[in-house]
Amino acid sequence: MRELLSQLRDWHTAGTPFALATVVGVRGSAPRAPGALMAVAATGAVAGSVSGGCVESDVYEVATETLTTGRTELRTYGISDDEAFGVGLTCGGTIDVLVQPFVTAADRDGLRELVDTVAAGEPVALATVVSGAAPPGARRVVLTGRVSGSLGDEGLDAAATDDARGLLAQGATGSIRYGAHGERRMQDVTVFVQTYAPAPRMLVFGAIDHAAATARIGSFLGYRVTVCDARPAFATRERFPTADEVVCAWPHTYLESTPVDARTVVCVLTHDPKFDVPLLAAALRTPAAYIGVMGSRRTHADRIARLREAGVGEAELTRLASPVGLDLGARTPEETAVSIAAEIIQHRWGGTGRPLGELAGAIHHDRGGA
């Protein structure tokens, strides 16, 4: 949704009808996770992707059709028949795509609340009827303190709202099945719940050229990026135009005062023990998903010794990605930033970091429904 915010707002402002295609189910290897979006306007414009190119042409045709009929459509795409030039996934998996038309002003206004909430960085979940004994495409927007819309039944609304808030707390997206009135352990209605938690944070410490490149790639990957350095001449907006915020403060002081959760990644690029040691000691007390620190192997050994002297335990030290990044042979700040980003992605999804050509089996790792 975030990558489509600007386009959807423009279409809404212009009063342009559009259709929204959403991946609501994945089985086996597939290029996009549940929740991937593609939007098609009545003008023919397209934004987003549901498969990376495999089935977009057919989804486009279905979306165009729904703008005429006004009906929500559910399509399933499996492995393609290359000889017959059939539409499908070359990766061998199967995806379910729900295509919903937003033709009337009322339809578009209902989605605008979701778009504005996501843009504001507030947590929100969207529950949508995919199939079964409820109106196809019926939607319910679930926020922390309020709800809007209906799935067509009070009991179903109540059950889906409870589950949507649970998934939102986990940052998870997935399908849930209910009875027609929201009964548990029944299969009459399938509801797809897509959650939009605030963007995860990337905290970059050390206002150097490598930090500028890392901030750029962090923004590209969807992180909310903060750059922090204690030196006023270096911690400036002009040096880091792509960062969401630039903070001039002692790194460990700032880290101890800012929210850090299990999705936060920390990149320490300062190269200075007087910054690194107290900062890393503080970072290792947080639930951060990734803590990477730049430096040579000699610097790493010295840093580990200093951290041990500061009372950091062996279990905590194993959390450090040091020296930071994967071995790509990087030389420039931009190449180093790619190396760091690659390690963050590997850590998140459990990849091997080896060339895919050397491996067998599924290319896309299990996303766990997130």
Side-chain angles (χ1 to χ4, degrees):
M1 175 67 76
R2 288 187 180 87
E3 65 272 21
L4 301 184
L5 288 178
S6 177
Q7 186 65 81
L8 292 179
R9 278 179 157 174
D10 287 347
W11 290 343
H12 183 277
T13 300
T16 302
F18 59 87
L20 200 59
T22 308
V23 176
V24 297
V26 170
R27 294 175 294 285
S29 179
R32 301 296 304 275
L37 295 171
M38 173 177 159
V40 177
T43 60
V46 181
S49 170
V50 292
S51 75
C54 300
V55 302
E56 266 69 8
S57 293
D58 192 72
V59 172
Y60 178 90
E61 295 299 329
V62 175
T64 301
E65 180 182 334
T66 67
L67 290 173
T68 300
T69 65
R71 294 195 303 267
T72 293
E73 299 284 348
L74 178 65
R75 296 297 175 93
T76 297
Y77 299 95
I79 189 169
S80 63
D81 181 352
D82 293 333
E83 292 184 359
F85 300 100
V87 176
L89 301 179
T90 57
C91 58
T94 301
I95 62 173
D96 300 316
V97 179
L98 187 71
V99 186
Q100 302 169 265
F102 293 83
V103 177
T104 68
D107 284 340
R108 295 192 297 274
D109 286 343
L111 189 66
R112 181 61 185 261
E113 178 185 20
L114 176 69
V115 169
D116 289 344
T117 303
V118 173
E122 298 178 34
V124 59
L126 176 64
T128 305
V129 173
V130 172
S131 62
R139 296 176 294 276
R140 188 166 177 83
V141 177
V142 180
L143 296 97
T144 302
R146 69 182 191 279
V147 296
S148 64
S150 174
L151 304 182
D153 179 87
E154 289 186 5
L156 184 58
D157 284 343
T161 297
D162 286 345
D163 289 336
R165 287 188 169 135
L167 288 172
L168 188 58
Q170 302 171 37
T173 285
S175 293
I176 307 174
R177 292 176 175 81
Y178 304 98
H181 305 292
E183 299 91 340
R184 307 288 179 176
R185 297 185 296 278
M186 296 183 70
Q187 308 288 317
D188 298 329
V189 181
T190 300
V191 176
F192 180 71
V193 179
Q194 186 164 5
T195 63
Y196 300 94
R201 300 189 71 192
M202 172 182 281
L203 306 180
V204 182
F205 294 96
I208 62 175
D209 288 347
H210 289 82
T214 301
R216 288 196 297 273
I217 202 167
S219 296
F220 177 75
L221 292 176
Y223 287 94
R224 178 174 178 80
V225 179
T226 298
V227 176
C228 176
D229 195 290
R231 301 166 296 176
F234 291 87
T236 66
R237 170 57 63 188
E238 291 73 22
R239 286 171 54 80
F240 300 96
T242 64
D244 294 283
E245 59 180 347
V246 180
V247 176
C248 184
W250 278 81
H252 73 281
T253 301
Y254 173 73
L255 183 63
E256 290 170 344
S257 66
T258 195
V260 175
D261 62 23
R263 299 189 302 152
T264 303
V265 299
V266 178
C267 301
V268 179
L269 313 178
T270 48
H271 286 108
D272 190 332
K274 71 175 179 289
F275 293 122
D276 286 0
V277 173
L279 172 58
L280 290 172
L284 291 169
R285 292 193 295 267
T286 73
Y290 171 91
I291 304 171
V293 53
M294 180 176 283
S296 67
R297 297 195 186 281
R298 177 179 297 178
T299 300
H300 168 73
D302 176 71
R303 182 187 295 129
I304 293 296
R306 290 173 183 268
L307 286 169
R308 287 188 178 117
E309 290 174 2
V312 177
E314 297 302 316
E316 287 79 9
L317 291 174
T318 62
R319 295 180 60 200
L320 289 180
S322 176
V324 70
L326 296 186
D327 179 17
L328 305 182
R331 292 292 185 271
T332 67
E334 289 74 19
E335 289 174 347
T336 301
V338 171
S339 169
I340 293 171
E343 186 174 47
I344 290 171
I345 295 168
Q346 178 203 28
H347 185 83
R348 180 181 182 187
W349 296 117
T352 66
R354 294 172 54 197
L356 289 171
E358 295 180 1
L359 304 173
I363 292 175
H364 303 287
H365 287 251
D366 182 13
R367 295 177 172 90

